[in-house]
Amino acid sequence: MTVRVVVADDQEIVRTGLTMILNSQPDIQVVGEAANGHRAVELARHLRPDVCLFDIRMPGLDGIEATRALAGPEVRDPLAVVVITTFDLDEYVYAALRAGARGFLLKDAGTAMLAQAMHAAAEGDALIAPSVTARLLKTFAAGGPAGTVQPVDPLTDREEQVLAAVASGRTNNEIAAELFITLSTVKTHITSLMTKIPARNRVEIAMWAYETNRVRR
């Protein structure tokens, strides 16, 4: 399956570079480009791509607000958004993830990680630059309402294990290998976790894990 992507960045040279990198992948196709957040949202709503790749700093409507418009809590049929930026600032990452982003990358991530993030987001997974994942979740969750939000139904022991693994930044394949279970079983547990918490993706699962003291900070 070809992953259809809309790219938005106010710098033409960056936008062109990202488009060239993505189009060089055999199973990724850039179907639209935008130079600002308003146009990005307009294009995304019209084209319904598999993934939106948005820069954070854009004129008019920044990447965080554009993400919220397409994937925020109030959006009934959210699109997959991955945010990319030059700046490794926790407040940017946290705001983007809270707005509904399924991934966060730095512009120096490299071709392999960029492509991996597109596939992960398209498949309902999430990828955050390893350099910010644990630090981000631990730092910001420390100021959150720890322990106040409880699951709809109690988590099973296995779900607690999967929850901890997700919060540690493990991929589905890594969780399967670590817990000696099948990939489909991992996906079943993650779906159950999203229902019980509730959460819309594994990023929200990870944030909830820290906010409720389910894992060590």
Side-chain angles (χ1 to χ4, degrees):
M1 182 189 77
T2 298
V3 177
R4 300 167 63 253
V5 181
V6 164
V7 174
D9 194 298
D10 62 320
Q11 296 183 10
E12 184 178 1
I13 190 168
V14 174
R15 192 169 66 249
T16 300
L18 290 171
T19 297
M20 289 179 62
I21 290 171
L22 293 173
N23 280 337
S24 71
Q25 303 300 305
D27 46 8
I28 298 177
Q29 178 187 9
V30 175
V31 295
E33 297 180 40
N36 59 70
H38 286 295
R39 178 57 177 159
V41 171
E42 183 181 70
L43 264 181
R45 285 175 173 165
H46 174 66
L47 297 173
R48 300 296 300 180
D50 299 303
V51 185
C52 300
L53 180 63
F54 291 170
D55 182 28
I56 279 188
R57 290 189 171 183
M58 292 188 290
L61 191 73
D62 65 25
I64 293 171
E65 290 307 313
T67 298
R68 185 172 288 111
L70 297 171
E74 305 304 319
V75 179
R76 287 189 177 183
D77 189 16
L79 289 170
V81 180
V82 173
V83 173
I84 188 167
T85 182
T86 306
F87 307 98
D88 181 9
L89 298 178
D90 285 343
E91 56 266 32
Y92 281 173
V93 191
Y94 191 71
L97 299 181
R98 279 299 190 197
R102 284 194 194 168
F104 183 95
L105 293 174
L106 300 178
K107 289 184 179 178
D108 63 358
T111 300
M113 184 170 286
L114 183 61
Q116 186 182 352
M118 296 302 97
H119 285 290
E123 294 167 6
D125 210 331
L127 188 149
I128 308 172
S131 62
V132 299
T133 306
R135 187 187 75 230
L136 160 79
L137 294 170
K138 293 177 183 179
T139 300
F140 283 88
T148 59
V149 182
Q150 296 304 315
V152 175
D153 293 307
L155 304 187
T156 65
D157 290 342
R158 182 63 87 185
E159 285 169 349
E160 292 281 6
Q161 293 174 328
V162 172
L163 176 72
V166 169
S168 299
R170 303 281 199 280
T171 65
N172 285 356
N173 285 324
E174 289 171 339
I175 295 172
E178 187 175 300
L179 300 181
F180 302 101
I181 56 180
T182 66
L183 186 58
S184 62
T185 300
V186 174
K187 293 179 179 179
T188 297
H189 286 311
I190 288 176
T191 298
S192 179
L193 284 169
M194 288 192 290
T195 300
K196 288 182 176 182
I197 290 175
R200 297 180 305 163
N201 54 56
R202 67 195 297 116
V203 173
E204 291 184 2
I205 289 175
M207 287 194 286
W208 183 86
Y210 281 104
E211 288 172 347
T212 57
N213 287 321
R214 280 306 209 282
V215 291
R216 290 183 179 181
R217 293 175 181 163

